[in-house]
Amino acid sequence: MEMLEDRLKKVTEEVICLVDLYGGTPSNTVAGLSQRYDINVVSGLNLAMLIEVYVQKDILTMEQLIDTALSAAKDSAEDVIMTIKGKR
C-alpha cells in the first residue's frame, strides 16, 4: 500500500482504478485511499473493460470513462452455448 500511496502523491490528475471484485482487498484498499486522493474505483474488471478503458483514456472525460468501463463489463458477458444454439 505504501508503494501505491507514493505513486498517488505524485499524480496531478484524476485516477481510475479497475479492480476485480467489489469488497476484495484491492477494492477496499483503493476505496480507503479515495478519502485522501482523487480516485475513482470500478469493480468487475475483465479484459474487455481494461481494453476499452485503456483505448479511450485520453479521449473521454472521467465520467464517460467510468460509464465505458461499466458498459464494457456488462456487454462482455455471454452465455456461449445458448448463443451458439441461437437461444439468446
Side-chain angles (χ1 to χ4, degrees):
M1 184 155 130
E2 284 180 38
M3 201 162 83
L4 179 57
E5 263 197 277
D6 288 342
R7 292 281 298 196
L8 288 170
K9 288 176 186 175
K10 298 174 186 173
V11 174
T12 58
E13 56 197 62
E14 264 186 295
V15 173
I16 184 169
C17 291
L18 307 176
V19 298
D20 56 354
L21 299 172
Y22 174 76
T25 301
S27 174
N28 293 340
T29 299
V30 291
L33 289 171
S34 73
Q35 302 300 310
R36 295 188 303 264
Y37 302 97
D38 197 5
I39 301 174
N40 298 282
V41 185
V42 178
S43 66
L45 176 64
N46 62 28
L47 187 56
M49 179 196 291
L50 179 63
I51 291 169
E52 281 295 321
V53 169
Y54 185 78
V55 168
Q56 302 289 338
K57 68 182 174 56
D58 296 325
I59 301 167
L60 303 178
T61 66
M62 184 57 68
E63 186 176 324
Q64 292 171 322
L65 206 54
I66 291 168
D67 288 342
T68 296
L70 295 171
S71 179
K74 290 175 188 171
D75 293 345
S76 66
E78 188 69 44
D79 182 336
V80 175
I81 302 305
M82 293 304 273
T83 301
I84 291 171
K85 291 180 179 180
K87 296 183 180 181
R88 287 193 194 217

